[in-house]
Amino acid sequence: MVTIAGQDGPSPAPFLLIWGMLALIGGGALVIRRVSERFRAFIVEGLATKPTQQARAQSLPLSFARFIGGVFMVCGTVAIPVSIVMMVRS
C-alpha cells in the first residue's frame, strides 16, 4: 500500500475504502455462529458431486470459518483508516 500511495495516477483509496467496509461487514457476519453454519452448509452443498471433499468440508469445525471472519474483520479495520489517510493526503 505504501508503494501504491507514492505513484501518480488514480488513487486506490476509494477501492480500498469499499473493500475495507465489505471485509468488515462480511467478516463480522461470518463470525456469528448462525452465519458460519449457513456458510459451511452452502460449501458442503456445493461439493455434492465430490464426496471426498464434501466429507472433508463437513469435518472442519465451525471455529475455522469464524477465524476466517475474524481475519477479514482485522483486514477491514486496518484498510479503512489507511484509505482515509490516503484520501486526505491526495
Side-chain angles (χ1 to χ4, degrees):
M1 284 297 135
V2 174
T3 58
I4 292 174
Q7 296 177 354
D8 290 335
S11 174
F15 168 76
L16 189 60
L17 181 64
I18 293 169
W19 184 89
M21 294 293 282
L22 289 175
L24 189 62
I25 293 168
L30 197 55
V31 170
I32 299 170
R33 183 177 205 82
R34 272 187 305 173
V35 176
S36 60
E37 288 173 352
R38 288 180 188 168
F39 180 73
R40 183 171 69 173
F42 176 74
I43 297 296
V44 169
E45 287 174 15
L47 294 171
T49 60
K50 301 176 182 178
T52 308
Q53 291 181 351
Q54 187 179 26
R56 286 177 54 196
Q58 282 177 337
S59 67
L60 279 176
L62 282 179
S63 60
F64 181 72
R66 297 176 86 184
F67 171 76
I68 290 176
V71 170
F72 275 129
M73 284 185 65
V74 168
C75 292
T77 304
V78 170
I80 291 171
V82 168
S83 68
I84 292 172
V85 167
M86 288 172 64
M87 280 190 235
V88 169
R89 286 187 180 176
S90 62

